[in-house]
Amino acid sequence: MMFYDRNEAAIRLAEKLIAYRGRNPLVLAIPRGAVPMAKIITDKLGGSLDVVLVRKLRAPYSPELAIGSVDESGGIFIAEYAELAGADTDYIEYEKQIQMDIIRKRRLQYSPIRPPIDPNGRIVIVIDDGLATGATMISALHSLRKKTPAKLICAVPVAPVETVKKVTELADEVVCLEASSNFQSVGQYYVNFPQIEDDEVVSILQSTMTQ
């Protein structure tokens, strides 16, 4: 399955999530690429839009490789191959602090006038524009589960089959439009896959606060 852009992917996801329309879901985007998608989905379902801030932990000699992830509270997920990738305990703590600093700056930038929306008792739908290792989504689901949502849903356009299996263990429901057995990168499933900048994220979040 190919998507022209994130907008098309979001519309298709919203169709699969239509059962939650009118039930005041909390739609949480993993920045930055998923934020425009989450706005479309929120508009179609109703409810609230916010971001869930998680960052991947980079492998020491291959920064594109995620050896784990960290959430806003400092909770970490470490992949089983992290040590083989050269990440010992000291490196993981060092990398965690770097990513936590980015998370704190993003929270101040994205929602400076209000705290994160409380997921307690809410139907929570976590959106990303696609999963590879799933590290950031896994971290997001772990952190949100601790906040006792009524239902926790992972919704993505595309992910490898093995990653779908991993997140299925952590969510009450997984909506994945394309579970791929021949996955190379998220971008290969989009015709247009531009970088989303912080200014666009801030604009979208500010627009929801003024509605």
mmCIF file of all heavy atoms in Angstrom, residues 75-94:
data_model
loop_
_atom_site.group_PDB
_atom_site.id
_atom_site.type_symbol
_atom_site.label_atom_id
_atom_site.label_comp_id
_atom_site.label_asym_id
_atom_site.label_seq_id
_atom_site.Cartn_x
_atom_site.Cartn_y
_atom_site.Cartn_z
ATOM 1 N N GLY A 75 11.296 7.507 31.766
ATOM 2 C CA GLY A 75 11.238 6.056 31.603
ATOM 3 C C GLY A 75 11.871 5.638 30.290
ATOM 4 O O GLY A 75 11.701 6.306 29.272
ATOM 5 N N ILE A 76 12.618 4.541 30.321
ATOM 6 C CA ILE A 76 13.326 4.119 29.110
ATOM 7 C C ILE A 76 12.930 2.707 28.696
ATOM 8 O O ILE A 76 12.560 1.873 29.516
ATOM 9 C CB ILE A 76 14.860 4.210 29.264
ATOM 10 C CG1 ILE A 76 15.364 3.316 30.402
ATOM 11 C CG2 ILE A 76 15.305 5.642 29.465
ATOM 12 C CD1 ILE A 76 16.881 3.244 30.481
ATOM 13 N N PHE A 77 12.997 2.486 27.386
ATOM 14 C CA PHE A 77 12.887 1.159 26.786
ATOM 15 C C PHE A 77 14.215 0.885 26.092
ATOM 16 O O PHE A 77 14.713 1.731 25.349
ATOM 17 C CB PHE A 77 11.736 1.129 25.775
ATOM 18 C CG PHE A 77 11.858 0.013 24.756
ATOM 19 C CD1 PHE A 77 11.561 -1.288 25.110
ATOM 20 C CD2 PHE A 77 12.279 0.277 23.459
ATOM 21 C CE1 PHE A 77 11.680 -2.315 24.188
ATOM 22 C CE2 PHE A 77 12.398 -0.745 22.530
ATOM 23 C CZ PHE A 77 12.095 -2.046 22.900
ATOM 24 N N ILE A 78 14.799 -0.272 26.349
ATOM 25 C CA ILE A 78 16.075 -0.644 25.740
ATOM 26 C C ILE A 78 15.876 -1.895 24.894
ATOM 27 O O ILE A 78 15.370 -2.909 25.388
ATOM 28 C CB ILE A 78 17.157 -0.901 26.812
ATOM 29 C CG1 ILE A 78 17.354 0.339 27.686
ATOM 30 C CG2 ILE A 78 18.469 -1.297 26.144
ATOM 31 C CD1 ILE A 78 17.797 1.577 26.938
ATOM 32 N N ALA A 79 16.275 -1.816 23.636
ATOM 33 C CA ALA A 79 16.148 -2.957 22.730
ATOM 34 C C ALA A 79 17.118 -4.057 23.128
ATOM 35 O O ALA A 79 18.188 -3.795 23.716
ATOM 36 C CB ALA A 79 16.416 -2.523 21.291
ATOM 37 N N GLU A 80 16.753 -5.284 22.771
ATOM 38 C CA GLU A 80 17.566 -6.434 23.182
ATOM 39 C C GLU A 80 18.945 -6.447 22.516
ATOM 40 O O GLU A 80 19.879 -7.079 23.007
ATOM 41 C CB GLU A 80 16.831 -7.742 22.875
ATOM 42 C CG GLU A 80 16.564 -8.014 21.406
ATOM 43 C CD GLU A 80 15.305 -7.352 20.883
ATOM 44 O OE1 GLU A 80 14.683 -6.563 21.624
ATOM 45 O OE2 GLU A 80 14.946 -7.618 19.718
ATOM 46 N N TYR A 81 19.094 -5.704 21.409
ATOM 47 C CA TYR A 81 20.366 -5.695 20.687
ATOM 48 C C TYR A 81 21.244 -4.496 21.064
ATOM 49 O O TYR A 81 22.280 -4.260 20.446
ATOM 50 C CB TYR A 81 20.110 -5.673 19.175
ATOM 51 C CG TYR A 81 19.186 -4.562 18.727
ATOM 52 C CD1 TYR A 81 19.657 -3.268 18.543
ATOM 53 C CD2 TYR A 81 17.841 -4.805 18.508
ATOM 54 C CE1 TYR A 81 18.819 -2.242 18.155
ATOM 55 C CE2 TYR A 81 16.982 -3.792 18.113
ATOM 56 C CZ TYR A 81 17.485 -2.515 17.932
ATOM 57 O OH TYR A 81 16.634 -1.509 17.550
ATOM 58 N N ALA A 82 20.842 -3.718 22.069
ATOM 59 C CA ALA A 82 21.554 -2.481 22.394
ATOM 60 C C ALA A 82 23.036 -2.731 22.704
ATOM 61 O O ALA A 82 23.915 -2.003 22.233
ATOM 62 C CB ALA A 82 20.879 -1.778 23.559
ATOM 63 N N GLU A 83 23.317 -3.765 23.510
ATOM 64 C CA GLU A 83 24.705 -4.028 23.883
ATOM 65 C C GLU A 83 25.535 -4.428 22.668
ATOM 66 O O GLU A 83 26.696 -4.013 22.525
ATOM 67 C CB GLU A 83 24.761 -5.127 24.951
ATOM 68 C CG GLU A 83 26.150 -5.328 25.538
ATOM 69 C CD GLU A 83 26.148 -6.307 26.701
ATOM 70 O OE1 GLU A 83 25.057 -6.727 27.137
ATOM 71 O OE2 GLU A 83 27.256 -6.641 27.170
ATOM 72 N N LEU A 84 24.948 -5.201 21.781
ATOM 73 C CA LEU A 84 25.664 -5.593 20.560
ATOM 74 C C LEU A 84 25.976 -4.387 19.689
ATOM 75 O O LEU A 84 26.950 -4.398 18.929
ATOM 76 C CB LEU A 84 24.824 -6.601 19.765
ATOM 77 C CG LEU A 84 24.665 -7.991 20.384
ATOM 78 C CD1 LEU A 84 23.711 -8.838 19.547
ATOM 79 C CD2 LEU A 84 26.021 -8.681 20.507
ATOM 80 N N ALA A 85 25.144 -3.340 19.792
ATOM 81 C CA ALA A 85 25.371 -2.121 19.021
ATOM 82 C C ALA A 85 26.365 -1.187 19.697
ATOM 83 O O ALA A 85 26.624 -0.090 19.201
ATOM 84 C CB ALA A 85 24.050 -1.397 18.794
ATOM 85 N N GLY A 86 26.920 -1.613 20.825
ATOM 86 C CA GLY A 86 27.954 -0.833 21.500
ATOM 87 C C GLY A 86 27.463 0.060 22.612
ATOM 88 O O GLY A 86 28.220 0.906 23.110
ATOM 89 N N ALA A 87 26.205 -0.103 23.030
ATOM 90 C CA ALA A 87 25.621 0.773 24.051
ATOM 91 C C ALA A 87 25.708 0.113 25.424
ATOM 92 O O ALA A 87 24.920 -0.778 25.740
ATOM 93 C CB ALA A 87 24.170 1.092 23.699
ATOM 94 N N ASP A 88 26.672 0.552 26.235
ATOM 95 C CA ASP A 88 26.750 0.041 27.607
ATOM 96 C C ASP A 88 25.936 0.950 28.527
ATOM 97 O O ASP A 88 25.316 1.928 28.092
ATOM 98 C CB ASP A 88 28.198 -0.076 28.064
ATOM 99 C CG ASP A 88 28.951 1.249 28.055
ATOM 100 O OD1 ASP A 88 28.298 2.324 27.996
ATOM 101 O OD2 ASP A 88 30.194 1.226 28.106
ATOM 102 N N THR A 89 25.930 0.650 29.817
ATOM 103 C CA THR A 89 25.102 1.395 30.766
ATOM 104 C C THR A 89 25.460 2.874 30.810
ATOM 105 O O THR A 89 24.574 3.742 30.835
ATOM 106 C CB THR A 89 25.244 0.790 32.176
ATOM 107 O OG1 THR A 89 24.874 -0.590 32.134
ATOM 108 C CG2 THR A 89 24.347 1.511 33.168
ATOM 109 N N ASP A 90 26.754 3.196 30.824
ATOM 110 C CA ASP A 90 27.180 4.597 30.869
ATOM 111 C C ASP A 90 26.742 5.344 29.620
ATOM 112 O O ASP A 90 26.285 6.490 29.699
ATOM 113 C CB ASP A 90 28.701 4.693 31.021
ATOM 114 C CG ASP A 90 29.178 4.275 32.401
ATOM 115 O OD1 ASP A 90 28.337 4.238 33.329
ATOM 116 O OD2 ASP A 90 30.380 3.974 32.546
ATOM 117 N N TYR A 91 26.877 4.696 28.447
ATOM 118 C CA TYR A 91 26.461 5.365 27.212
ATOM 119 C C TYR A 91 24.959 5.617 27.205
ATOM 120 O O TYR A 91 24.498 6.700 26.820
ATOM 121 C CB TYR A 91 26.838 4.530 25.976
ATOM 122 C CG TYR A 91 26.254 5.140 24.723
ATOM 123 C CD1 TYR A 91 26.889 6.199 24.098
ATOM 124 C CD2 TYR A 91 25.023 4.696 24.221
ATOM 125 C CE1 TYR A 91 26.325 6.802 22.982
ATOM 126 C CE2 TYR A 91 24.460 5.298 23.109
ATOM 127 C CZ TYR A 91 25.112 6.347 22.491
ATOM 128 O OH TYR A 91 24.544 6.950 21.395
ATOM 129 N N ILE A 92 24.184 4.631 27.646
ATOM 130 C CA ILE A 92 22.732 4.782 27.649
ATOM 131 C C ILE A 92 22.313 5.944 28.542
ATOM 132 O O ILE A 92 21.446 6.751 28.175
ATOM 133 C CB ILE A 92 22.052 3.469 28.088
ATOM 134 C CG1 ILE A 92 22.215 2.410 26.988
ATOM 135 C CG2 ILE A 92 20.576 3.694 28.397
ATOM 136 C CD1 ILE A 92 21.780 1.012 27.396
ATOM 137 N N GLU A 93 22.931 6.081 29.708
ATOM 138 C CA GLU A 93 22.604 7.197 30.602
ATOM 139 C C GLU A 93 22.986 8.531 29.969
ATOM 140 O O GLU A 93 22.237 9.512 30.053
ATOM 141 C CB GLU A 93 23.333 7.023 31.941
ATOM 142 C CG GLU A 93 23.008 8.096 32.966
ATOM 143 C CD GLU A 93 21.540 8.165 33.336
ATOM 144 O OE1 GLU A 93 20.841 7.133 33.252
ATOM 145 O OE2 GLU A 93 21.075 9.277 33.699
ATOM 146 N N TYR A 94 24.137 8.581 29.310
ATOM 147 C CA TYR A 94 24.576 9.796 28.624
ATOM 148 C C TYR A 94 23.592 10.180 27.516
ATOM 149 O O TYR A 94 23.150 11.331 27.424
ATOM 150 C CB TYR A 94 25.979 9.555 28.044
ATOM 151 C CG TYR A 94 26.467 10.620 27.094
ATOM 152 C CD1 TYR A 94 26.929 11.847 27.566
ATOM 153 C CD2 TYR A 94 26.479 10.382 25.725
ATOM 154 C CE1 TYR A 94 27.380 12.828 26.681
ATOM 155 C CE2 TYR A 94 26.926 11.350 24.832
ATOM 156 C CZ TYR A 94 27.378 12.572 25.321
ATOM 157 O OH TYR A 94 27.816 13.541 24.441
#
